[in-house]
Amino acid sequence: MNGFLELLSYPFVMRAVTAGTLISVCASVLGVILVLKHYSLIGHGLSEIGFASLSAASALGLPAMAITTPAVITASFIIMYVSQRYRTAGDIAIAIASSAALSLGVIVSSVSGQTSNMSSYLFGSILAMSDSDLLLSVMLSAAVMAVFILFYNRLFLITYNEDYARSLGINTALYQAVISVLTALVVVMGMRFMGTLLISSVIILPAVTARQIASGFRLLVVLSGIISLIAFILGLMVSFMLNLPAGASVVMVNAVILIIVKVLFRK
């Protein structure tokens, strides 16, 4: 424990912890809507599409974020549309597209000789986060919190009864688009420290865990954020103390918390 606290005295570690905490909380809050609306596969699909675009950008010598961000945002709109339009078939389409995207990314990085450079995006590298990553994390978290605070009632209606929300004159397509963009940005930022293979877990697990305890939307959002924060900090402590990968440690802690909650709060 003392060793972990000592590590926090280093600016690059503190920067990584702060950025990772903000992204984890944002992911878990958005995850509540995605889980309740049965869009859980979206995070998984976007992360693997992000990896494919990162591989292409690296192979072509182009700025990674400049290529990946619009690619993932565009994919988020397509995935959200397919999920809404086709429901079960949409889940299958997302699974196929994400698997194909991951395979394409691996092939491109292998052919271009960038495999070693892309490994950090597959498994994450939290200490590689820069000052610009921290700034973007702060801006993203502020945007997510602002959306939930300012439009809470509308998000509640859209999440639980989209048809009723539409009958009240609420532009559901606009709010779906906002959620899609924010989710895409969280995935892009989260790939830096969680990796493309694990970022979807940070979106889904805290929300699923919170759902075992409470059913109210407001409480679900708050609990999901708290659970994600606790899991992230504990996961980092385990990672630093046992010299384990940070992203995998955070996901394992999330999984353990879910199992404990499942046992204690059986429904």
Side-chain angles (χ1 to χ4, degrees):
M1 183 66 180
N2 290 333
F4 178 73
L5 294 176
E6 185 178 339
L7 282 172
L8 293 179
S9 64
Y10 293 98
F12 71 95
V13 175
M14 194 62 195
R15 179 174 61 237
V17 171
T18 303
T21 299
L22 292 173
I23 295 170
S24 295
V25 173
C26 287
S28 64
V29 169
L30 290 169
V32 171
I33 293 179
L34 299 179
V35 167
L36 291 177
K37 291 184 71 63
H38 306 290
Y39 296 158
S40 301
L41 278 176
I42 286 180
H44 180 66
L46 291 180
S47 63
E48 297 190 351
I49 290 169
F51 177 72
S53 61
L54 280 169
S55 299
S58 180
L60 297 173
L62 299 173
M65 298 301 284
I67 300 299
T68 303
T69 302
V72 174
I73 289 175
T74 301
S76 72
F77 285 123
I78 295 173
I79 290 176
M80 189 71 79
Y81 172 79
V82 170
S83 296
Q84 289 180 314
R85 180 82 171 132
Y86 300 106
R87 300 299 176 182
T88 303
D91 290 342
I92 297 173
I94 293 169
I96 294 172
S98 62
S99 299
L102 180 60
S103 300
L104 177 62
V106 172
I107 290 172
V108 170
S109 60
S110 177
V111 171
S112 63
Q114 299 290 328
T115 304
S116 59
N117 295 336
M118 298 305 298
S119 61
S120 63
Y121 285 104
L122 273 175
F123 305 106
S125 179
I126 189 169
L127 296 181
M129 301 191 81
S130 62
D131 288 331
S132 60
D133 290 328
L134 176 59
L135 177 60
L136 289 172
S137 300
V138 172
M139 294 170 62
L140 179 58
S141 62
V144 171
M145 293 303 109
V147 167
F148 271 83
I149 292 172
L150 295 175
F151 306 110
Y152 170 81
N153 290 331
R154 297 187 178 193
L155 291 176
F156 172 79
L157 285 175
I158 291 170
T159 300
Y160 283 100
N161 196 329
E162 189 172 332
D163 292 333
Y164 179 61
R166 195 178 294 111
S167 71
L168 294 178
I170 296 174
N171 188 346
T172 57
L174 173 62
Y175 290 97
Q176 296 283 13
V178 171
I179 294 300
S180 294
V181 171
L182 292 177
T183 302
L185 293 175
V186 165
V187 168
V188 171
M189 292 300 301
M191 288 192 303
R192 295 285 287 167
F193 79 95
M194 291 297 300
T196 58
L197 299 180
L198 296 173
I199 182 59
S200 61
S201 300
V202 181
I203 296 174
I204 297 169
L205 288 177
V208 173
T209 303
R211 198 177 181 188
Q212 306 303 311
I213 303 173
S215 55
F217 186 66
R218 191 188 304 273
L219 186 56
L220 274 174
V221 172
V222 173
L223 276 179
S224 183
I226 292 173
I227 290 168
S228 182
L229 177 61
I230 293 172
F232 180 76
I233 298 300
L234 290 178
L236 277 190
M237 291 175 63
V238 171
S239 171
F240 285 131
M241 289 188 294
L242 301 180
N243 194 28
L244 298 173
S249 298
V250 171
V251 172
M252 285 306 300
V253 171
N254 266 298
V256 169
I257 292 176
L258 174 58
I259 293 171
I260 293 173
V261 169
K262 276 273 193 183
V263 172
L264 296 179
F265 298 89
R266 292 181 179 178
K267 289 188 177 183

